[in-house]
């Protein structure tokens, strides 16, 4: 059975090159489409010819959740594997809810990526080992993503709850500080919170983080 054509979306050239080289160490594994921005991927005329997509969630123009939503609207025969630095279960659950067929952490082993792609190529689903254990133990209702927040607002809230500074959030999400403040302001309003400390309170109330 020939290996399906693979699309790769990650905004870091070095990371993208490393993933491509790893994938193509396997015979018949070919990265046919690669981009740094979601809009470029979605506009690529070669995308409908791909069967697998390796997707990062943090992108400069839109987040990976938006990419998943737009792909669902187009009804492409594309199985998506999310490969992300975000290891919190709310991100995993949201990605799966939006149609991803697999989820891996970037901190995982190289062999896992190849194993996951092989599983998706066979029509199966795949979760990194750590996620399989944790999702089996936790109540999904406790771990639901804030439904009122957009993907970008959720990313900003996550970073704020973890104590990250605005300048650091802007750097790793690839946006200006002004844009981070806009997302923060909208999230505060939607969650009826008045400050970053209040965000932590709301996150704890909803079971998104645990005390301490």
């Amino acid at each position: 059975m020939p290996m399906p054509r693979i699309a790769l979306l990650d905004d870091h050239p070095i990371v993208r090159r490393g993933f491509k080289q790893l994938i193509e160490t396997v015979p018949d594994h070919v990265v046919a489409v690669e981009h740094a921005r979601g809009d470029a991927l979605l506009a690529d005329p070669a995308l409908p010819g791909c069967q697998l997509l390796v997707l990062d969630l943090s992108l400069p123009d839109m987040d990976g959740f938006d990419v998943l939503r737009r792909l669902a609207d187009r009804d492409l025969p594309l199985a998506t594997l999310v490969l992300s630095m975000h290891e919190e279960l709310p991100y995993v659950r949201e990605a799966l809810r939006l149609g991803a067929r697999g989820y891996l952490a970037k901190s995982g082993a190289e062999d896992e990526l190849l194993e996951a792609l092989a599983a998706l190529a066979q029509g199966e689903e795949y979760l990194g080992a750590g996620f399989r254990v944790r999702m089996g133990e936790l109540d999904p209702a406790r771990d639901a993503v804030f439904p009122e927040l957009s993907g970008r607002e959720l990313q900003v809230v996550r970073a704020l709850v973890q104590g990250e500074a605005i300048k650091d959030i802007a750097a790793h999400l690839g946006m200006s500080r002004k844009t981070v403040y806009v997302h923060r302001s909208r999230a505060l309003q939607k969650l009826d919170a008045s400050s970053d400390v209040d965000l932590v309170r709301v996150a704890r109330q909803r079971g998104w983080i645990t005390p301490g």
Side-chain angles (χ1 to χ4, degrees):
M1 178 180 177
M3 183 65 191
R5 290 160 59 86
I6 301 167
L8 179 58
L9 179 57
D10 191 294
D11 64 329
H12 294 94
I14 294 177
V15 173
R16 195 168 63 247
R17 188 180 307 120
F19 288 152
K20 180 179 180 179
Q21 290 175 348
L22 173 62
I23 292 169
E24 293 185 343
T25 60
V26 180
D28 298 326
H29 283 53
V30 176
V31 176
V33 172
E34 58 173 306
H35 289 286
R37 296 174 60 90
D39 54 3
L41 174 85
L42 295 168
D44 194 316
L47 183 63
C50 295
Q51 289 76 45
L52 297 177
L53 168 64
V54 179
L55 171 68
D56 189 11
L57 290 181
S58 299
L59 301 168
D61 58 330
M62 64 181 74
D63 61 36
F65 296 142
D66 290 328
V67 173
L68 286 169
R69 291 186 188 97
R70 298 190 190 190
L71 288 173
D73 290 340
R74 293 172 61 177
D75 196 27
L76 295 177
L78 191 65
T80 301
L81 172 68
V82 172
L83 186 57
S84 176
M85 67 177 182
H86 300 297
E87 301 186 27
E88 295 81 5
L89 291 183
Y91 285 86
V92 183
R93 294 194 189 284
E94 182 70 352
L96 298 178
R97 185 184 72 81
L98 292 173
R101 298 296 302 278
Y103 198 108
L104 289 179
K106 284 187 174 180
S107 61
E110 293 181 351
D111 289 348
E112 255 198 326
L113 173 58
L114 301 180
E115 183 179 330
L117 290 175
L120 267 64
Q122 296 294 328
E124 303 171 4
E125 297 182 349
Y126 191 96
L127 287 179
F131 297 127
R132 289 196 295 271
V133 172
R134 290 160 61 199
M135 290 182 77
E137 292 176 347
L138 297 181
D139 178 0
R142 286 186 66 251
D143 213 50
V145 171
F146 292 110
E148 57 269 76
L149 299 185
S150 70
R152 279 301 203 191
E153 289 164 359
L154 181 66
Q155 288 179 314
V156 170
V157 166
R158 170 193 173 276
L160 290 169
V161 165
Q162 290 186 337
E164 289 190 43
I166 294 293
K167 64 180 180 63
D168 295 327
I169 298 173
H172 83 244
L173 291 183
M175 62 177 69
S176 68
R177 297 186 190 185
K178 180 179 179 180
T179 301
V180 174
Y181 277 115
V182 169
H183 288 309
R184 174 184 178 275
S185 177
R186 290 174 179 169
L188 288 172
Q189 183 176 13
K190 289 179 180 180
L191 298 176
D192 194 25
S194 59
S195 65
D196 295 348
V197 173
D198 224 12
L199 281 178
V200 174
R201 174 188 59 79
V202 174
R204 284 176 175 165
Q205 286 179 341
R206 299 195 183 192
W208 204 43
I209 59 173
T210 57

